[in-house]
Amino acid sequence: MEDSATFTAAPAPAKWHALWVRATHWILAAVIVALIVSGFTILMGHPRFYWGEGGNDLTTALFELPIGPNSGGVAFSQPQPFFGEIDGAATANRLESPWNQNSWARSLHFLTAWIFLAVLLVYLGIAGVSGHARRNLLPRRGELAARNILQDIRSHLKPGRPVDHIGPPYAILQKLAYALVLFLALPLMLLTGISMSPAITASYPILLDLFGGTQSARTIHFFGFAFVAAFLLVHLSMVLISGPVRLMRGMIFGGGQ
């Protein structure tokens, strides 16, 4: 049994990036960029978030992002009770036309989501069958020791930290980041994304029960997007710090020590 306080296992020899890893990496990278750009454009159309089944400009929002021409709300006439109930649904006339030029973004977002699903399933399937996930992505118990994590944090904070090899084995922070993105954030974004599709939830209403409503799914989807975007920023920053030419060459041609 591994000692959780002192993880001293000898590192495995550095390996090249496998062809299937490189291929799925670049396809997923392109697809995720397309999803982020189109998703941000969609978000500018209504940068308000809610919890539950419904939400609109007449509903109190959980929070609002100050982005896009619709930020700050749209002017309405005095709201009137929709069913004569003071605390019930309300209706009002819109006094100005909102910015709504994102039809291309919705089409692109939905199309690339299916490409994303197909490539992600291929990656996770091969990673599971080949043992790549177990060997290189999922942290072992001893690696999760606080001492080992703090040591890796200090190592990453050193200025001009060079990369000693290209490809596996990965340090604990890399493993945690990759595992959280691949096995939690991306699958969660996929499920919450399809939970906003009326056609899909009509056939699988359990999705709305799972996330507590369409607006809840949208809010969770946004936080998943924010996490993946932050991961990409950190990932690209580390590539620039650790030697972008060598790392890019490794991810294109394979790499090695």
Side-chain angles (χ1 to χ4, degrees):
M1 183 174 180
E2 294 172 326
D3 186 351
S4 60
T6 55
F7 183 75
T8 59
K15 302 177 182 178
W16 289 32
H17 290 300
L19 177 60
W20 66 268
V21 172
R22 287 176 275 145
T24 53
H25 170 274
W26 289 114
I27 297 174
L28 280 175
V31 169
I32 289 175
V33 169
L35 287 171
I36 288 177
V37 172
S38 58
F40 189 82
T41 304
I42 295 170
L43 180 58
M44 287 195 299
H46 193 85
R48 292 161 59 88
F49 291 88
Y50 315 88
W51 195 261
E53 293 288 346
N56 54 46
D57 287 312
L58 300 176
T59 306
T60 302
L62 283 176
F63 61 94
E64 179 176 355
L65 300 178
I67 60 173
N70 294 338
S71 176
V74 180
F76 283 88
S77 63
Q78 184 66 29
Q80 300 294 327
F82 196 79
F83 298 108
E85 300 176 1
I86 301 300
D87 297 328
T91 182
N93 293 322
R94 193 183 295 270
L95 300 180
E96 59 183 78
S97 297
W99 179 84
N100 190 26
Q101 304 297 320
N102 59 12
S103 59
W104 67 268
R106 293 180 180 274
S107 297
L108 177 62
H109 204 72
F110 197 70
L111 172 62
T112 49
W114 293 114
I115 301 175
F116 161 78
L117 171 61
V119 179
L120 181 64
L121 289 177
V122 169
Y123 178 90
L124 294 179
I126 299 177
V129 172
S130 66
H132 174 72
R134 175 181 53 80
R135 291 192 308 271
N136 302 318
L137 300 178
L138 297 176
R140 287 174 285 172
R141 183 182 303 176
E143 292 178 299
L144 293 172
R147 177 180 176 182
N148 189 53
I149 295 175
L150 290 174
Q151 180 179 354
D152 198 23
I153 292 175
R154 286 194 293 267
S155 176
H156 277 79
L157 292 177
K158 291 180 180 179
R161 176 178 175 267
V163 61
D164 54 355
H165 66 270
I166 298 173
Y170 300 125
I172 182 60
L173 292 183
Q174 283 180 286
K175 284 189 175 184
L176 288 174
Y178 292 150
L180 286 174
V181 168
L182 288 169
F183 302 112
L184 179 62
L186 294 183
L188 183 62
M189 287 188 69
L190 174 68
L191 288 175
T192 53
I194 63 177
S195 296
M196 290 183 277
S197 169
I200 294 178
T201 53
S203 300
Y204 304 97
I206 190 174
L207 289 170
L208 294 179
D209 297 332
L210 179 64
F211 295 110
T214 303
Q215 295 300 327
S216 300
R218 180 174 179 264
T219 300
I220 297 171
H221 191 76
F222 167 75
F223 282 112
F225 151 77
F227 179 80
V228 172
F231 165 81
L232 289 177
L233 288 175
V234 174
H235 180 66
L236 293 175
S237 298
M238 294 305 301
V239 168
L240 292 175
I241 292 172
S242 302
V245 174
R246 188 180 180 206
L247 291 178
M248 288 290 288
R249 185 172 62 244
M251 187 49 73
I252 294 174
F253 299 108
Q257 298 195 58

